[in-house]
């Protein structure tokens, strides 16, 4: 696979890059960012995957996530894909709503038309992009972890639960933990999968745990001043599911914090240190 370099910038002794490539999974050009920390020639470094939330691209966390200092200190490669396919021919929401279609791929492979052709973000972030990254960057594929925010927190949790042998750690900021039960998720899963509720459950962290999926431990930060907390995020459902399943969940409720990158950037280094401890050789 060929990859085009969009930009390169020096930061904390490492390199922040933005790249573009033609995706087989989505049938579109896709843009992603990679921060590579300073390292010795020939070294293979652990990888942290970050999945962004509704309306975001790779750029939100790249510009506002404040992860580079910690990644440079800890020796972590940080990868941020886009949240959905994009392009003039890619169908979006009929009413141009923010919570479905463009910028709202929900990290699933859609089966319903007209979305099935392009909205294959599950395949993109679990298969195609990891292969490209492994070919182009000094990664150690045996040391990977994943985290995300909101819709991306949903993606990170579901991907980790379905690939527990691939990722050594998983965490989330304000994740949508039970999309089958909340308005954002019902709209998205219904639009991408129709009435196939079995497919819904495969992309619902709480449902996956209820159905037997396991991951050793999870870290979740949730702002208590988050406007979406009660209606869309429902962290208490994840807490209950983890308790019943014996999954070690650290759920930190942070007073005064909202859903924004001011919240994420405040606790990003905490998450990266937590990941780094589990990514040691």
């Amino acid at each position: 696979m060929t990859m085009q370099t969009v930009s390169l910038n020096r930061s904390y002794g490492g390199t922040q890059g933005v790249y573009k490539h033609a995706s087989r999974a989505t049938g579109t050009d896709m843009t992603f960012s990679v921060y590579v920390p300073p390292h010795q020639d020939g070294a293979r470094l652990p990888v942290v995957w970050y999945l962004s939330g509704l309306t975001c691209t790779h750029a939100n966390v790249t510009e506002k996530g404040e992860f580079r200092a910690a990644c440079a200190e800890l020796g972590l490669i940080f990868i941020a894909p886009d949240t959905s396919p994009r392009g003039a021919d890619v169908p979006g929401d009929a009413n141009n709503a923010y919570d479905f279609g463009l910028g709202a791929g929900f990290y699933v492979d859609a089966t319903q038309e007209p979305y099935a052709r392009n909205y294959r973000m599950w395949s993109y972030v679990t298969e195609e992009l990891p292969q490209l990254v492994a070919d182009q960057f000094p990664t150690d594929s045996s040391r990977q972890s994943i985290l995300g925010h909101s819709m991306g927190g949903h993606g990170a949790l579901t991907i980790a639960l379905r690939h527990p042998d691939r990722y050594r750690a998983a965490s989330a900021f304000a994740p949508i933990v039970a999309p089958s039960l909340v308005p954002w998720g019902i709209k998205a899963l219904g639009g991408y999968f129709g009435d196939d509720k079995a497919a819904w459950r495969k992309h619902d962290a709480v449902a996956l745990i209820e159905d037997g999926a396991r991951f050793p431990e999870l870290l979740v930060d949730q702002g208590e001043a988050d406007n979406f907390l009660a209606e869309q995020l429902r962290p208490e459902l994840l807490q209950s599911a983890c308790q019943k399943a014996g999954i070690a969940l650290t759920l930190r409720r942070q007073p005064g914090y909202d859903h924004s990158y001011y919240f994420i950037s405040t606790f990003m280094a905490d998450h990266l240190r937590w990941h780094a401890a589990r990514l040691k050789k």
Side-chain angles (χ1 to χ4, degrees), residues 42-54:
R44 290 286 170 177
L45 306 178
V47 180
V48 177
W49 295 88
Y50 178 90
L51 304 184
S52 296
L54 289 167

Side-chain angles (χ1 to χ4, degrees), residues 211-225:
D211 292 345
R214 296 292 182 266
F215 201 81
E217 57 181 333
L218 302 169
L219 170 63
V220 171
D221 271 305
Q222 174 61 62
E224 290 189 340

Side-chain angles (χ1 to χ4, degrees), residues 15-100:
T15 303
Q16 177 63 66
V18 176
Y19 307 93
K20 180 184 291 187
H21 73 113
S23 168
R24 294 192 306 267
T26 67
T28 66
D29 286 345
M30 295 294 287
T31 302
F32 64 100
S33 78
V34 179
Y35 177 72
V36 179
H39 61 281
Q40 294 182 343
D41 289 345
R44 290 286 170 177
L45 306 178
V47 180
V48 177
W49 295 88
Y50 178 90
L51 304 184
S52 296
L54 289 167
T55 75
C56 292
T57 69
H58 70 282
N60 298 73
V61 69
T62 304
E63 296 169 1
K64 298 185 288 186
E66 299 184 21
F67 56 85
R68 279 173 287 271
C71 286
E73 172 194 338
L74 299 166
L76 302 174
I77 292 177
F78 189 98
I79 303 170
D82 202 347
T83 53
S84 77
R86 299 178 193 273
D89 297 329
V90 177
D93 184 84
N95 298 312
N96 293 318
Y98 74 94
D99 56 356
F100 184 77

Side-chain angles (χ1 to χ4, degrees), residues 81-152:
D82 202 347
T83 53
S84 77
R86 299 178 193 273
D89 297 329
V90 177
D93 184 84
N95 298 312
N96 293 318
Y98 74 94
D99 56 356
F100 184 77
L102 301 178
F106 269 79
Y107 305 101
V108 303
D109 285 355
T111 58
Q112 296 295 296
E113 297 299 338
Y115 307 104
R117 181 168 61 90
N118 302 118
Y119 286 82
R120 303 188 68 249
M121 290 301 296
W122 180 271
S123 291
Y124 180 69
V125 299
T126 66
E127 298 173 14
E128 184 177 18
L129 188 57
Q131 179 184 338
L132 176 62
V133 166
D135 290 342
Q136 299 287 340
F137 298 94
T139 62
D140 180 350
S141 60
S142 70
R143 292 187 291 159
Q144 299 187 73
S145 69
I146 191 165
L147 75 157
H149 168 232
S150 193
M151 178 186 73

